[in-house]
Amino acid sequence: MTEFSFSCTGVRADRYAAGPTLVFRLRVTATGDTPVHALALRCQIRIEPARRGYASAEADGLADLFGERSRWGSTLQPVQFAQVPLMVSGFTGETEADLVVPCTYDMDIAATRYLDALADGEVPLLMLFSGTAFTGAGGFHVEPVPWDREAVFRMPVAAWREMVEQHFPGCGWIRLPRDTMDALLAYRSRHALPSWEATVAALLDDTATAAPPKSDPLRALTATTGRTDP
């Protein structure tokens, strides 16, 4: 059986990708001198929050994920970051390959909220590998890549921020239910507002003027769009 080991040597933001994308550089090593014709991998990446320290402002930003700092001994659990496939072309001994990881700026995703809360430093990642290897000098032999293959990597927070700024410069992102989006679109069209920023600003102005009850924060929106509760 061929033994495989993995390490991550770097990461960069892909500035030419259609959406936010990180590219991790992997080094793959196979024991012996048996040729590896191809390697079909499944790569799971986890964030391990307990493996770094946090400033006070960062701790405040992580409160919705892990609670108060006093509880972190039990709540600071790993966070799933990505799960992607990778096909490594033939090699003997050692090779390098790019692991392309599409990302999201959806703040409902735990990994995104975690990364957004970090000011600087590094993100402790654990990469888990499994899959199938096609090896052999005189034909193909199929060998498994066991689940215990892993690599530890500390990704610079700056790489994440660079990726976000490439696609969402100076912006945030929120996900809304379809009914709420329809109501916002109707309000924008009715008032001939030029952008979503202007739409939200107008709603905030209306809310401040009307002073709706605190128990019903959507009252201003339903009042201006004409929509009623079901």
Side-chain angles (χ1 to χ4, degrees):
M1 293 287 290
T2 305
E3 291 289 331
F4 293 94
S5 60
F6 302 88
S7 62
C8 183
T9 61
V11 64
R12 59 181 173 84
D14 188 349
R15 62 177 62 253
Y16 302 109
T21 302
L22 290 173
V23 181
F24 294 87
R25 190 65 175 172
L26 295 182
R27 178 174 295 138
V28 184
T29 303
T31 59
D33 56 1
T34 301
V36 178
H37 302 292
L39 200 56
L41 294 175
R42 293 182 296 273
C43 311
Q44 183 180 157
I45 305 176
R46 297 177 184 172
I47 298 171
E48 296 197 312
R51 290 174 43 216
R52 62 157 283 168
Y54 301 92
S56 296
E58 293 174 328
D60 292 341
L62 295 171
D64 63 331
L65 284 178
F66 306 120
E68 298 298 324
R69 193 189 284 268
S70 60
R71 300 175 52 208
W72 283 10
S74 59
T75 63
L76 220 59
Q77 300 300 318
V79 176
Q80 182 77 358
F81 180 58
Q83 187 162 333
V84 292
L86 175 64
M87 182 63 71
V88 180
S89 57
F91 68 97
T92 299
E94 185 177 281
T95 188
E96 293 193 352
D98 285 337
L99 177 64
V100 179
V101 179
C103 301
T104 177
Y105 198 34
D106 186 345
M107 296 302 290
D108 285 341
I109 304 298
T112 304
R113 295 208 308 274
Y114 173 85
L115 291 164
D116 188 68
L118 303 183
D120 53 23
E122 297 173 329
V123 183
L125 299 179
L126 177 64
M127 298 179 168
L128 305 172
F129 301 94
S130 66
T132 304
F134 302 90
T135 66
F140 284 92
H141 300 281
V142 178
E143 302 181 26
V145 178
W147 267 109
D148 63 355
R149 304 296 90 178
E150 62 183 42
V152 174
F153 181 64
R154 301 188 72 86
M155 178 180 72
V157 174
W160 166 266
R161 296 203 172 278
E162 178 186 354
M163 178 198 70
V164 171
E165 284 299 311
Q166 287 173 1
H167 295 274
F168 306 102
C171 298
W173 194 95
I174 58 173
R175 181 172 59 185
L176 297 173
R178 175 63 61 186
D179 286 349
T180 304
M181 284 298 301
D182 291 343
L184 283 170
L185 181 59
Y187 180 88
R188 177 178 175 177
S189 299
R190 185 176 300 112
H191 292 82
L193 296 168
S195 66
W196 288 116
E197 180 180 1
T199 302
V200 174
L203 282 168
L204 290 174
D205 289 342
D206 290 348
T207 302
T209 302
K214 293 183 179 179
S215 60
D216 191 1
L218 293 179
R219 182 65 62 185
L221 177 60
T222 55
T224 53
T225 60
R227 299 175 68 90
T228 59
D229 296 334

